[in-house]
Amino acid sequence: MDINLIWRELSFFTSSLHSQKYLSHCYKQLKIAEHDKKSFDNCYPFIYYLEHGKSYYESAKISPLSIRPVLLFYGMIQLLKACLLTVDPNYPESTSVLAHGVTTRKRKKQSYEFLQDEVKIQRNGLYTHIAEKMFYMRHLEGEKCSMENLLKLVGELGRLFTYSKKAPELYPIVRMDDHIVSISKLVLDRYNMTEKRFIEYLQTACPSLHIEPSTKKDKHNIILHSPKTNWAGLQKSPLVYHMYEDTYYLPSNREQMSAFSEILVHYLVLYNLSMISRYETEWWSELLHSYATEDYPFINQFLAVSADKIPYYIYHYLMSKA
């Protein structure tokens, strides 16, 4: 979907009448008492978060790369706060959810490489609140995530990893229709599994997809049936999604399978980049002007993808509750 069309579709919520009805519907689904009062109280904050987020993204489009991570990070934060209001009518209920919820490690300036950098998830803060309320993920505190591993979960960077890091190709999941997909049997050797074990593994790793073996058989491909799942146009964690191709992939290494929603991946990477651009000015400036490391193309491409992909995911998240 075109990014301009996404913003036009989201403009539906710039009416307090529309937003209140929408939030009331969300709260009814959650069986929240006084859903009409809560939706009335939250409809304007909901609109303001969306409008503020849009302003950040529009500014990021015309900004120099040096400050773009900050604008994209805070734009994403505003959009995520709007999403939180659909599942947590009392947000922000305490000051503990106002902090970012992530920390960066100290850097050695002489040998620092962005792809090898890590962030650490804190017990409290916005990150863990989003993970729990929006994606039903708990107990993330203390987990360390490397930038390289996180970026490998962004489908649009797959070719860059193949060219630069010599990483094996991702395995495409070919949609035969909205409920039937096929995967090359070559993945069985990579995962060291039989077809039956592989299907059981996917059922455990991707319970929301409701995967079943298909009655259709193919000599070269594994055919899967997902009667309750429409595969069109929305990320399905822990698969890797390529938005521009509207294609899903399996990582070539099963250790790379992650239950993280890609929104949470972008949060961690953008947080780190925004901190670097603000507080590591010397390294950041050298990166942008010397082109001497392999970090630059990964950062540049990621920022371009994130500017399109986060509004896309936010739109689908909100529409899924309509």
Side-chain angles (χ1 to χ4, degrees), residues 7-257:
W7 291 118
R8 286 201 298 273
E9 291 288 321
L10 288 174
S11 69
F12 168 83
F13 294 114
T14 55
S15 158
S16 60
L17 180 63
H18 290 165
S19 289
Q20 185 177 353
K21 286 183 177 178
Y22 170 78
L23 290 173
S24 179
H25 172 74
C26 292
Y27 299 159
K28 279 182 187 176
Q29 298 296 109
L30 295 171
K31 295 180 169 53
I32 290 172
E34 297 185 308
H35 52 79
D36 283 334
K37 181 181 183 303
K38 288 289 186 183
S39 62
F40 178 79
D41 292 342
N42 287 335
C43 68
Y44 281 104
F46 179 76
I47 293 170
Y48 297 152
Y49 286 143
L50 291 176
E51 286 294 290
H52 201 189
K54 181 182 178 184
S55 296
Y56 273 114
Y57 277 89
E58 288 180 338
S59 298
K61 272 197 300 189
I62 58 174
S63 73
L65 186 61
S66 58
I67 62 171
R68 203 171 299 157
V70 178
L71 296 171
L72 290 177
F73 178 67
Y74 284 104
M76 177 187 63
I77 291 292
Q78 298 302 314
L79 297 182
L80 287 172
K81 287 178 179 178
C83 291
L84 276 175
L85 283 180
T86 69
V87 292
D88 181 6
N90 298 314
Y91 174 82
E93 197 166 11
S94 70
T95 56
S96 67
V97 300
L98 298 178
H100 295 316
V102 187
T103 57
T104 57
R105 69 183 184 184
K106 293 182 179 179
R107 301 180 177 86
K108 298 178 181 178
K109 293 180 183 293
Q110 295 301 315
S111 59
Y112 172 71
E113 295 179 20
F114 176 74
L115 290 180
Q116 304 310 312
D117 197 8
E118 293 180 336
V119 292
K120 184 178 180 181
I121 300 171
Q122 300 298 294
R123 180 174 183 178
N124 297 312
L126 183 60
Y127 184 84
T128 48
H129 194 64
I130 289 167
E132 179 179 343
K133 293 295 184 179
M134 290 176 58
F135 304 109
Y136 314 109
M137 297 180 66
R138 300 188 180 200
H139 311 302
L140 297 176
E141 64 270 15
E143 188 165 343
K144 293 181 179 180
C145 306
S146 80
M147 295 298 102
E148 181 172 335
N149 288 339
L150 290 170
L151 291 175
K152 283 180 177 177
L153 300 175
V154 180
E156 293 79 2
L157 302 184
R159 284 195 182 90
L160 186 55
F161 271 106
T162 300
Y163 298 149
S164 179
K165 306 295 289 186
K166 309 302 182 189
E169 290 282 358
L170 297 166
Y171 287 95
I173 298 174
V174 180
R175 270 204 320 270
M176 301 171 72
D177 62 30
D178 284 348
H179 300 284
I180 297 178
V181 298
S182 72
I183 306 169
S184 169
K185 287 185 177 179
L186 293 174
V187 75
L188 299 177
D189 292 332
R190 282 301 262 173
Y191 279 47
N192 195 25
M193 293 178 178
T194 64
E195 182 172 341
K196 181 181 178 183
R197 174 69 187 97
F198 175 74
I199 293 173
E200 291 172 349
Y201 172 74
L202 282 186
Q203 289 171 331
T204 302
C206 315
S208 64
L209 297 181
H210 309 287
I211 292 170
E212 301 174 359
S214 174
T215 55
K216 296 181 179 180
K217 299 298 177 184
D218 187 294
K219 199 187 307 182
H220 305 292
N221 299 293
I222 304 163
I223 310 298
L224 300 174
H225 183 221
S226 304
K228 298 180 182 178
T229 302
N230 187 326
W231 288 75
L234 184 59
Q235 178 210 7
K236 292 171 173 61
S237 179
L239 305 180
V240 175
Y241 181 59
H242 193 304
M243 183 181 72
Y244 303 127
E245 296 177 353
D246 191 20
T247 304
Y248 300 95
Y249 291 89
L250 274 174
S252 56
N253 187 333
R254 64 179 176 177
E255 280 70 38
Q256 292 172 1
M257 292 278 278

